[in-house]
Amino acid sequence: SAAAFAPAQTGRVATDLAVSELELGVTEPLGVYDPLGWLETEPEAFERRRAVERKHGRVAMAAVLGTIVHQNDIEFDGYLSPSANLKFSDVPNGVDGIRAIPTAGLAQILAFFALVELAWMPASKYDGDYGVGYFGTDILDPENKARKLNVEINNGRAAMMGIMGNMVAEVLTGQTMYEQYAAGHVSPFGDGQGVF
């Protein structure tokens, strides 16, 4: 029904931020976007879902930055795997790069993710404040903190859509983001001769 797209009534969720989690990430004209009605049927799960959204947004922002850096051939010197004689510069750009990493390297990456998830940034810490501050400083003004958290959530949402769109476009076209822009192929649905 049309009520699913109407702005929901904002309530307060208990957090350590002195701001309402429901107010963070709210963008007009949608307000609180809850088309499945989970805020009313499962309100206790909201904080966990928001924490997962925040964490996925942070990972996606790092992924977008990593994609841009790597596709501009800014890479570490030296070897990714000396035993396999694999240099960082030998790893192909784009989605296929993951296939070039040896199995032991992938296991190390997954072990590091597990350590971060379980020890340093546990999923049970819903407020997203892991004690590292904002570039080493703490934000004491609640209004300024709410604004920065709002920016982080919305940028994370954009990054999640961006990295997913980048991967899908790369699989559809066979070209990395850099190759698509360099060749003028900005639309995967066009004939490759420009925007459309």
Side-chain angles (χ1 to χ4, degrees):
S1 79
F5 297 99
Q9 297 296 321
T10 58
R12 297 201 60 87
V13 177
T15 68
D16 297 333
L17 301 174
V19 296
S20 171
E21 277 287 331
L22 282 175
E23 295 169 6
L24 294 176
V26 175
T27 307
E28 293 300 331
L30 294 178
V32 176
Y33 185 67
D34 183 24
L36 300 177
W38 283 346
L39 282 174
E40 291 184 20
T41 60
E42 302 175 26
E44 67 284 349
F46 173 75
E47 279 189 286
R48 182 183 178 286
R49 287 191 180 106
R50 176 52 59 90
V52 168
E53 176 188 25
R54 185 181 293 121
K55 192 174 283 191
H56 287 170
R58 289 174 178 175
V59 170
M61 287 186 275
V64 168
L65 182 62
T67 297
I68 292 169
V69 167
H70 189 65
Q71 290 185 5
N72 282 290
D73 293 323
I74 301 170
E75 295 150 349
F76 292 116
D77 290 331
Y79 288 88
L80 174 65
S81 175
S83 61
N85 199 27
L86 179 67
K87 294 183 177 182
F88 284 102
S89 58
D90 295 336
V91 177
N93 290 341
V95 178
D96 287 333
I98 194 86
R99 293 186 182 101
I101 301 173
T103 305
L106 291 174
Q108 289 174 4
I109 292 169
L110 292 175
F112 176 72
F113 286 166
L115 175 70
V116 168
E117 185 71 27
L118 298 173
W120 185 37
M121 298 179 175
S124 60
K125 188 154 177 53
Y126 291 159
D127 66 357
D129 188 357
Y130 301 109
V132 294
Y134 179 74
F135 293 108
T137 61
D138 206 10
I139 303 171
L140 301 177
D141 178 27
E143 192 173 304
N144 191 22
K145 189 170 192 167
R147 189 184 71 74
K148 289 192 184 303
L149 289 172
N150 197 30
V151 167
E152 179 189 31
I153 287 173
N154 283 315
N155 285 347
R157 290 171 179 167
M160 287 186 274
M161 296 302 291
I163 196 65
M164 185 58 72
N166 179 50
M167 291 188 297
V168 168
E170 185 177 327
V171 170
L172 286 176
T173 64
Q175 294 178 314
T176 64
M177 177 175 57
Y178 178 79
E179 292 167 340
Q180 290 176 45
Y181 286 129
H185 300 167
V186 249
S187 172
F189 307 108
D191 59 359
Q193 301 302 314
V195 179
F196 294 103

